Amino acid sequence: MPKKYRLSRADFIRLPKPVCRMHGTYFSLTVTPSPLLGGPRAACVVSKKVSARSVDRNRIERRCRESLRPLLVQLKDRAAFIFYAKRESVSASSKEIQQDVRKLLERVA
């Protein structure tokens, strides 16, 4: 994901409480409007509760970021999109993750 679309740790901490939370099959999405951000920013969070193995957590995070890459360019909102992985995402394929991320972002728009 290009750097201008990433949500840094400092941005993550400064964000106010989320306005909207949506649940998909493999991810939960929180949306926080923030005029301080230059455009849409996104982050993928995969906790150890989802999988104890770092290999699995990193795979989920890479798949989430890769499916977000073409979609963030189309968004015009100045908001932070934070995707929280669910346990079901460990066994999901790339295509299933991509469909879930797309559905969640379509519901926001």
Side-chain angles (χ1 to χ4, degrees):
M1 186 173 355
K3 196 170 189 176
K4 68 179 184 176
Y5 294 119
R6 283 187 229 154
L7 194 60
S8 70
R9 188 170 200 68
D11 293 337
F12 198 92
I13 293 170
R14 285 185 295 177
L15 286 175
K17 289 188 178 182
V19 172
C20 179
R21 177 170 282 174
M22 288 176 252
H23 301 282
T25 308
Y26 304 110
F27 291 94
S28 293
L29 170 65
T30 60
V31 180
T32 306
S34 180
L36 301 175
L37 300 174
R41 301 279 179 109
C44 300
V45 178
V46 185
S47 71
K48 286 187 180 181
K49 287 183 180 180
V50 173
S51 177
R53 297 178 55 201
S54 62
V55 174
D56 294 335
R57 293 194 308 268
N58 291 334
R59 182 184 307 124
I60 294 166
E61 193 170 332
R62 282 193 308 270
R63 287 178 176 176
C64 178
R65 281 194 314 250
E66 189 59 36
S67 57
L68 276 169
R69 186 185 314 252
L71 300 174
L72 283 175
V73 177
Q74 301 168 358
L75 294 174
K76 305 290 185 217
D77 301 339
R78 288 186 173 193
F81 301 95
I82 303 171
F83 289 85
Y84 293 95
K86 294 182 178 181
R87 288 189 177 137
E88 293 83 9
S89 62
V90 175
S91 61
S93 68
S94 296
K95 190 171 185 174
E96 291 171 332
I97 288 176
Q98 188 175 19
Q99 289 172 349
D100 193 45
V101 168
R102 179 176 286 128
K103 284 179 188 177
L104 286 170
L105 286 177
E106 285 175 355
R107 285 174 50 192
V108 170

